[in-house]
Amino acid sequence: MAALQAANLFGVAGKRVLVTGGGSGIGAMMAAGFAANGASVIIASRNAEALAATAAEVKKTTSADIEIVVADLGSRAGCEALAAEVAAEPLDVLVNNSGTSWGEPLDRESGRANWGWDKVLDLNVKAPFYLTRALRPALEAAAGAGAPARVVMVGSVAGLTHQPTPTHAYDTSKAALHSLTKKFASDLAPKVTVNAIAPGFVPSRMTKGLEAWGITLDGIAKHVPLGRVGAAADMAGAALFFSSPAGSWVSGVVLPVDGGHLAQGIPMPGDL
């Protein structure tokens, strides 16, 4: 019965984990969760200062060391360079979290539309594809009998139902990422599971950008059935489930973690 004990079901101690976009927001929350539970964590992003600050904060609260790698995942070359840097040893878990957003009303023609769409699709869709493909050998090397390696995509409820904001590229990119999750789940089985977490509204630099469209986290919380926005434990808990023995027979799933927000629909800005 030891296998049914929580420490064994949800344990990730000793696993080697890469979290992209791990210097802030949801990526930092997940990285802290893995580190607090004994995993060996690597965080990567373009922002060296943010990575260093997150690593220092995690060490302060968990006594765990986090490895940092500065990487630009906005291009295939950048993804493959990161893979080359971390693939010297088997990789148990890849968390594809790096992402960005951009929005502009349809009737506004700023001249930045091509740039916005390219930037969002490059980081939110192409990067997970190129990075996962490049790290496939390292992931498969970590797999054991009945213990597949894991890929966790960070999608969004906006990929399941569009937001009431002109974030066309972002919403589309997350829907594409959810589809890629299911495609990869088929392609990489049985040595690797691939699942996606679709967060609702969680405090981050990206969600703060919604204020430009009249949406605030305080306003959102009033409309979430469970009465609040997301927190670090919510994001880390979902990632730990997919990455632990408890999630070893789960693949191709897109899991909304949103306080029930999606179930009742996302309200319009005027309601917030």
Side-chain angles (χ1 to χ4, degrees), residues 238-256:
L240 289 171
F241 165 68
F242 281 138
S243 304
S244 68
S248 64
W249 205 50
V250 180
S251 197
V253 167
V254 178
L255 176 67

Side-chain angles (χ1 to χ4, degrees), residues 11-253:
V12 294
K15 290 187 180 292
R16 187 166 181 256
V17 181
L18 170 62
V19 182
T20 68
S24 61
I26 290 174
M29 296 174 189
M30 291 180 174
F34 281 110
N37 288 278
S40 174
V41 181
I42 307 162
I43 55 176
S45 80
R46 291 185 305 169
N47 191 329
E49 291 183 3
L51 291 172
T54 293
E57 185 62 26
V58 169
K59 184 173 178 61
K60 185 192 311 179
T61 56
T62 69
S63 298
D65 285 317
I66 287 189
E67 181 181 347
I68 63 175
V69 178
V70 178
D72 184 353
L73 301 182
S75 69
R76 175 177 177 177
C79 293
E80 293 177 348
L82 173 60
E85 190 156 350
V86 303
E89 300 176 40
L91 183 69
D92 297 286
V93 182
L94 166 62
V95 180
N96 282 309
N97 167 74
S98 284
T100 190
S101 187
W102 170 83
E104 184 173 275
L106 287 175
D107 59 359
R108 185 193 303 168
E109 297 184 12
S110 68
R112 291 168 62 85
N114 287 347
W115 168 86
W117 273 88
D118 289 347
K119 176 184 176 184
V120 171
L121 272 293
D122 284 348
L123 192 56
N124 293 12
V125 183
K126 293 181 182 179
F129 173 80
Y130 289 129
L131 186 59
T132 302
R133 186 173 67 173
L135 284 171
R136 181 178 183 178
L139 290 162
E140 291 184 342
R150 317 300 168 88
V151 174
V152 179
M153 306 288 201
V154 179
S156 172
V157 292
L160 297 168
T161 184
H162 65 85
Q163 300 180 95
T165 53
T167 48
H168 304 88
Y170 179 82
D171 297 12
T172 299
S173 74
K174 292 302 182 179
L177 184 63
H178 296 166
S179 182
L180 181 61
T181 295
K182 297 178 182 181
K183 185 66 173 173
F184 268 163
S186 174
D187 291 340
L188 303 186
K191 290 188 176 181
V192 183
T193 70
V194 187
N195 294 288
I197 298 168
F201 294 91
V202 180
S204 70
R205 184 175 52 130
M206 194 176 296
T207 51
K208 187 165 181 61
L210 292 171
E211 293 178 3
W213 315 110
I215 298 178
T216 66
L217 290 179
D218 287 342
I220 289 168
K222 296 174 184 176
H223 293 270
V224 176
L226 295 186
R228 63 175 176 85
V229 296
D234 304 312
M235 301 298 103
L240 289 171
F241 165 68
F242 281 138
S243 304
S244 68
S248 64
W249 205 50
V250 180
S251 197
V253 167

Side-chain angles (χ1 to χ4, degrees), residues 1-11 244-248:
M1 298 297 288
L4 299 182
Q5 295 175 349
N8 293 322
L9 272 176
F10 299 100
S244 68
S248 64

